[in-house]
């Protein structure tokens, strides 16, 4: 005659319903280590492989299970023995049963990641420098009750850098003797974007142009990847080193502070005095901006050389001699 045994374990119902008949031999059972399954009813065949009586695999263990539950070999043996079933061979210490009753979206995961970064010693500062997101279309299945979800983060948020990285998400039991045990580890892709103010071209810029205040404006950008350096402050007068389109950000390498005249550059040198105008070529002996006086060396076609002169830069390729009285060009100079 059939007998039904129901064992109540914690808050879940352990209803191991067996079929104990005369002459039924010993059963063998092989536990699975960890079992993830939809929340709801759990049967013996979900957590173990049963040999001896295939019907036992369909027997109910837990009804409407919503939180993780560890079923040990000892617990199963004791409850089954009370019902007249002899599991002489049970392989494995037990199994974690993890009912997946909740699906977390990228929005929920992003909020959780930000919350846990903020809890780090320097987390608030990092959140001012970065925009942090979980990769689009990320979904994570987890128990609806009885668990904690913790991202494995470094000890200090300052070690985080921009880019994409995999951040493990650990699912652990909430409370109880096994509260520190990792039930499931999910690999989540996180995206860290640097928040910076960058100068952006207001119009197309050609190589060699000098910037004016109307040529650029600062905008807030969220940047991913390598640490590109961007200039700051007033960029007026900087030379464009690479062609840029309107809307492109200006980097340190694309707009540089270069003098109007550079050392070694050839200039048109002009000397003016009442009734006399002299024009010749000269070589700049130092860097200088428009309006500044620098030393120049006149270049004569004959190859003759004169003393160095002081000349005021009037453009990027010409200079004007302001004071010629101290100079004493050689008499054989043309």
């Amino acid at each position: 005659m059939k007998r039904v045994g129901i064992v109540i374990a914690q808050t879940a119902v352990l209803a191991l319903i067996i079929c104990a008949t005369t002459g039924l031999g010993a059963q063998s059972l092989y536990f699975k280590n960890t079992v993830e399954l939809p929340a709801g009813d759990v049967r013996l065949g979900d957590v173990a492989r049963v040999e001896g009586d295939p019907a036992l695999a369909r027997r109910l263990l837990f009804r409407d299970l919503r939180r993780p539950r560890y079923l040990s070999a000892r617990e199963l043996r004791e409850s089954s023995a009370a019902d007249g079933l002899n599991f002489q061979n049970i392989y494995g210490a037990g199994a974690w049963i993890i009912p997946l009753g909740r699906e977390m979206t990228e929005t929920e995961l992003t909020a959780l990641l930000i919350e846990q970064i903020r809890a780090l010693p320097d987390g608030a500062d990092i959140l001012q420098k970065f925009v942090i997101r979980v990769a689009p279309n990320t979904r994570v299945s987890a128990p609806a009750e009885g668990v904690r979800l913790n991202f494995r983060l470094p000890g200090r948020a300052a070690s985080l850098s921009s880019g994409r990285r995999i951040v493990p998400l650990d699912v652990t039991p909430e409370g109880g003797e096994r509260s520190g045990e990792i039930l499931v580890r999910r690999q989540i892709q996180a995206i860290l974007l640097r928040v910076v103010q960058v100068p952006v071209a207001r119009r197309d810029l050609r190589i060699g142009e000098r910037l004016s205040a109307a040529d650029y404006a600062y905008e807030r950008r969220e940047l991913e990847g390598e640490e590109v350096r961007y200039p700051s402050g007033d960029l007026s007068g900087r030379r464009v080193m690479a062609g840029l389109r309107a809307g492109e950000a200006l980097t340190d390498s694309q707009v540089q502070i270069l003098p109007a005249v550079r050392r070694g550059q050839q200039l048109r040198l002009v000397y003016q005095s009442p009734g006399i105008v002299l024009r010749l070529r000269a070589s700049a002996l130092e860097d200088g901006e428009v309006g500044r006086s620098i030393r120049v060396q006149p270049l004569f076609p004959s190859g003759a050389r004169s003393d160095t002169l002081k000349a005021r830069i009037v453009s990027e390729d010409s200079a004007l001699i302001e004071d010629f009285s101290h100079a004493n060009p050689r008499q054989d100079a043309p």
Side-chain angles (χ1 to χ4, degrees):
M1 189 173 173
K2 295 184 179 181
R3 184 166 64 88
V4 177
I6 301 178
V7 180
I8 298 178
Q10 294 183 3
T11 59
V13 179
L14 175 56
L16 178 57
I17 306 175
I18 61 151
C19 182
T21 60
T22 304
L24 184 63
Q27 312 298 307
S28 294
L29 181 143
Y30 298 82
F31 267 118
K32 302 173 185 178
N33 291 328
T34 301
V35 179
E36 296 182 50
L37 69 172
D41 297 346
V42 180
R43 302 183 183 278
L44 185 58
D46 293 328
V47 301
R49 178 166 59 87
V50 180
E51 292 184 353
D53 185 359
L56 287 177
R58 299 190 295 273
R59 299 308 180 179
L60 188 66
L61 287 179
F62 301 100
R63 188 180 299 280
D64 195 24
L65 187 65
R66 296 185 175 275
R67 58 177 56 222
R69 174 70 159 79
Y70 184 75
L71 177 62
S72 68
R74 179 178 178 181
E75 180 183 2
L76 181 60
R77 181 180 285 111
E78 291 176 351
S79 62
S80 60
D83 290 316
L85 181 63
N86 182 18
F87 275 120
Q88 290 186 348
N89 300 312
I90 296 182
Y91 298 93
W96 267 108
I97 307 168
I98 305 173
L100 304 178
R102 175 188 182 189
E103 185 178 76
M104 299 183 69
T105 65
E106 65 186 81
T107 302
E108 294 174 288
L109 292 167
T110 295
L112 179 63
L113 179 58
I114 291 174
E115 175 187 344
Q116 294 184 3
I117 289 176
R118 182 178 286 110
L120 296 175
D122 51 354
D125 294 336
I126 291 299
L127 292 176
Q128 292 180 355
K129 300 176 182 178
F130 290 93
V131 169
I132 299 174
R133 301 189 182 106
V134 166
N137 302 318
T138 302
R139 297 289 187 273
V140 167
S141 295
E145 303 173 9
V147 293
R148 296 182 184 276
L149 288 82
N150 296 290
F151 284 98
R152 294 181 65 86
L153 298 170
R156 298 190 64 83
S159 62
L160 298 172
S161 58
S162 63
R164 295 173 182 252
R165 66 190 64 246
I166 297 298
V167 182
L169 176 65
D170 292 341
V171 181
T172 58
E174 186 176 42
E177 296 180 358
R178 309 178 75 99
S179 59
E181 191 169 343
I182 298 174
L183 302 179
V184 180
R185 174 170 288 175
R186 312 294 192 196
Q187 302 297 331
I188 307 299
Q189 185 182 63
I191 304 172
L192 281 73
L193 305 174
R194 290 185 299 131
V195 179
V196 293
Q197 292 286 335
V198 300
V200 176
R202 282 181 155 177
R203 63 177 180 85
D204 293 350
L205 298 171
R206 300 186 303 275
I207 296 176
E209 285 191 77
R210 284 190 177 272
L211 291 175
S212 69
D215 292 332
Y216 67 94
Y218 280 95
E219 294 182 4
R220 181 183 184 273
R221 294 279 177 96
E222 298 172 0
L223 305 176
E224 176 186 347
E226 61 185 64
E227 301 287 333
V228 178
R229 295 180 63 87
Y230 296 93
S232 59
D234 185 5
L235 307 184
S236 298
R238 292 199 183 192
R239 192 187 298 273
V240 178
M241 307 303 293
L244 293 164
R245 293 187 177 278
E248 285 190 75
L250 313 180
T251 67
D252 274 351
S253 62
Q254 292 169 330
V255 289
Q256 297 184 7
I257 300 175
L258 296 177
V261 173
R262 306 189 72 178
R263 181 179 179 181
Q265 177 182 336
Q266 288 196 13
L267 300 169
R268 294 196 305 269
L269 184 61
V270 179
Y271 171 69
Q272 292 180 334
S273 67
I276 300 176
V277 176
L278 297 178
R279 293 185 177 87
L280 65 158
R281 305 296 295 177
S283 176
L285 300 180
E286 54 189 328
D287 296 343
E289 297 291 346
V290 173
R292 179 189 170 192
S293 293
I294 63 171
R295 293 180 301 115
V296 299
Q297 176 74 60
L299 302 174
F300 297 111
S302 64
R305 302 176 65 86
S306 75
D307 295 340
T308 60
L309 306 174
K310 274 284 190 180
R312 180 170 58 85
I313 299 171
V314 294
S315 71
E316 294 183 352
D317 60 358
S318 61
L320 177 68
I321 295 177
E322 296 183 299
D323 182 9
F324 197 70
S325 61
H326 70 283
N328 184 25
R330 292 175 50 176
Q331 297 298 319
D332 59 348

